[in-house]
DNA sequence: CACAATGACCAAT
DNA sequence: ATTGGTCATTGTG
């Protein structure tokens, strides 16, 4: 299937660290297929936009990084071919309110499989759409838990929502 | 198909 | 800090 990729950079919040983050996204004809971030290492030009879905995404990301509770429609995601259980877990995560957290166990229960807290962690790690499938709001029963691309990102994403769980001081 | 191995876990030693 | 218990997914034969 044809996949169209875009990328753009925006500055880190000043309280977090200097520099910019690089956001990259992939679209299919069905919708947003994946979204991820990394630290922008060298200067880049933002992609030229081919269609309006891309502008909507970029605006939403910027708003979120600015602390606003903006969301995208579930139906605008392309989750085709993903394991059923993963999709259930991802959907369950979206029930966690902006700025709040739930444990892996609680999310597993929301997903209809209360004892699958560990499998739930795997589903989190496989989340293809960072930020809008809010895996950063899922924490361990005893602490902040893990994060695929590094705990700093989890702290940042929670931080922009006003939740500073796990940050020191 | 039948396994074994792998995890961003959990609760109780 | 260690351990035994959980479960869905993925890889291997």
């Amino acid at each position: 299937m044809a996949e169209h990729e875009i990328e753009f950079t925006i500055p880190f919040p000043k309280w977090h660290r200097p520099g910019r983050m690089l956001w990259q996204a992939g679209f299919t004809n069905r919708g947003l297929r994946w979204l991820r971030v990394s630290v922008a290492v060298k200067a880049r030009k933002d992609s030229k936009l081919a269609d309006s879905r891309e502008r909507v995404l970029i605006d939403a990301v910027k708003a979120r990084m600015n602390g606003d509770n903006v969301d995208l429609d579930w139906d605008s995601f392309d989750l085709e071919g993903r394991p059923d259980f993963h999709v259930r877990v991802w959907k369950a995560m979206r029930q966690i309110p902006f700025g709040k957290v739930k444990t892996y166990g609680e999310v597993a229960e929301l997903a209809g499989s209360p004892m699958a807290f560990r499998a739930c962690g795997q589903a989190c790690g496989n989340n293809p759409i960072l930020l809008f499938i809010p895996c950063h709001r899922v924490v361990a029963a005893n602490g902040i838990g893990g994060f695929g691309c590094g705990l700093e990102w989890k702290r940042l994403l929670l931080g922009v929502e006003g939740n500073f769980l796990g940050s020191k001081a």
Side-chain angles (χ1 to χ4, degrees):
Chain A
M1 74 188 65
E3 194 174 275
H4 179 227
E5 302 186 10
I6 63 166
E7 64 179 41
F8 56 97
T9 69
I10 59 181
F12 280 103
K14 285 162 284 291
W15 51 263
H16 188 255
R17 55 162 288 172
R20 315 194 114 236
M21 38 191 162
L22 172 65
W23 289 86
Q24 297 172 301
F27 288 88
T28 67
N29 52 331
R30 282 188 296 271
L32 179 60
R33 184 68 178 166
W34 53 266
L35 173 67
R36 51 174 193 255
V37 246
S38 55
V39 177
V41 44
K42 54 174 77 164
R44 291 171 183 258
K45 289 208 156 160
D46 290 1
S47 303
K48 286 208 79 173
L49 302 187
D51 81 58
S52 64
R53 303 176 304 174
E54 301 171 354
R55 170 49 60 197
V56 169
L57 170 72
I58 294 177
D59 287 347
V61 170
K62 286 182 176 169
R64 285 287 288 274
M65 288 303 118
N66 197 34
D68 298 327
N69 182 8
V70 171
D71 208 354
L72 297 176
D73 291 335
W74 176 260
D75 293 335
S76 71
F77 303 150
D78 173 14
L79 272 14
E80 177 91 359
R82 306 293 188 180
D84 198 65
F85 177 74
H86 287 185
V87 176
R88 289 214 309 282
V89 169
W90 299 336
K91 205 174 238 174
M93 288 181 203
R94 300 197 103 215
Q95 299 181 35
I96 309 173
F98 185 87
K100 297 286 184 50
V101 297
K102 281 195 189 309
T103 66
Y104 292 95
E106 289 170 327
V107 172
E109 183 166 13
L110 282 176
S113 192
M115 290 295 108
F117 32 74
R118 195 155 185 182
C120 177
Q122 305 208 83
C124 294
N126 285 298
N127 171 22
I129 302 181
L130 195 74
L131 189 58
F132 297 106
I133 293 178
C135 58
H136 55 281
R137 295 182 195 146
V138 188
V139 302
N142 52 352
I144 191 172
F147 205 65
C149 51
L151 273 178
E152 294 315 306
W153 289 103
K154 193 169 189 173
R155 284 192 256 267
L156 168 63
L157 296 181
L158 284 170
V160 298
E161 299 185 5
N163 184 317
F164 286 82
L165 179 87
S167 63
K168 37 187 157 192

